Amino acid sequence: MDVLVEFKWNPRVQNGLKKIPDDILYTIAKQTLDLSVPMIPMSKKVGHSGTLRRSSVSGGVRGSRGDFYIGSYTDYAKHVWNMENVNWTTPGTNNKWFTRTLKQHSATIINNAIYKSWRKDMQ
């Protein structure tokens, strides 16, 4: 006995499946940035207070098509990122803020990104 099966894509589902990976990656980057803001150090130096934090927020999520990124866009961000054993002047701040956020909240961030993207692209 032969069985013949023909599969036809639902165009809306097919389109959603194409969009969902980028939407998930973008949402992971956005949530990581948003949750990291309170951890980004703020200088007490006159003229620099909050510059690192503001540059991160104003930079937002950049990129497209599977290559999304976030950052802190100052000439000294890399230096602050790599600082260790520092008595940070702003409570709750630390180095490697994006990494710390992902380590602490990865399951929630990823689950939220999948849920949000699925609802947006597949419904």
Side-chain angles (χ1 to χ4, degrees), residues 108-119:
T108 301
I109 289 170
I110 292 168
N111 287 334
N112 285 343
I114 292 169
Y115 177 76
K116 180 179 177 182
S117 300
W118 184 266
R119 284 188 50 114

Side-chain angles (χ1 to χ4, degrees), residues 51-66:
T51 303
L52 185 62
R53 192 177 284 187
R54 278 193 311 275
S55 78
S56 304
V57 172
S58 66
V61 177
R62 297 180 180 192
S64 65
R65 296 192 179 160

Side-chain angles (χ1 to χ4, degrees), residues 79-89 93-96 100:
H79 174 72
V80 178
W81 177 270
N82 289 314
M83 293 175 98
E84 304 225 3
N85 302 315
V86 174
N87 183 16
W88 300 94
T89 56
T93 62
N94 217 317
N95 67 341
K96 300 182 178 158
R100 289 174 185 275

Side-chain angles (χ1 to χ4, degrees), residues 5-57:
V5 176
E6 185 176 334
F7 178 81
K8 292 185 180 183
W9 277 104
N10 173 318
R12 197 170 98 222
V13 171
Q14 188 176 25
N15 190 42
L17 288 172
K18 289 178 185 175
K19 290 174 156 182
I20 205 165
D22 277 346
D23 286 344
I24 289 171
L25 287 174
Y26 176 88
T27 303
I28 288 170
K30 179 68 171 127
Q31 289 181 7
T32 300
L33 173 61
D34 292 347
L35 290 170
S36 296
V37 170
M39 285 193 207
I40 300 172
M42 294 184 49
S43 173
K44 298 291 183 182
K45 190 175 181 183
V46 176
H48 286 280
S49 183
T51 303
L52 185 62
R53 192 177 284 187
R54 278 193 311 275
S55 78
S56 304
V57 172

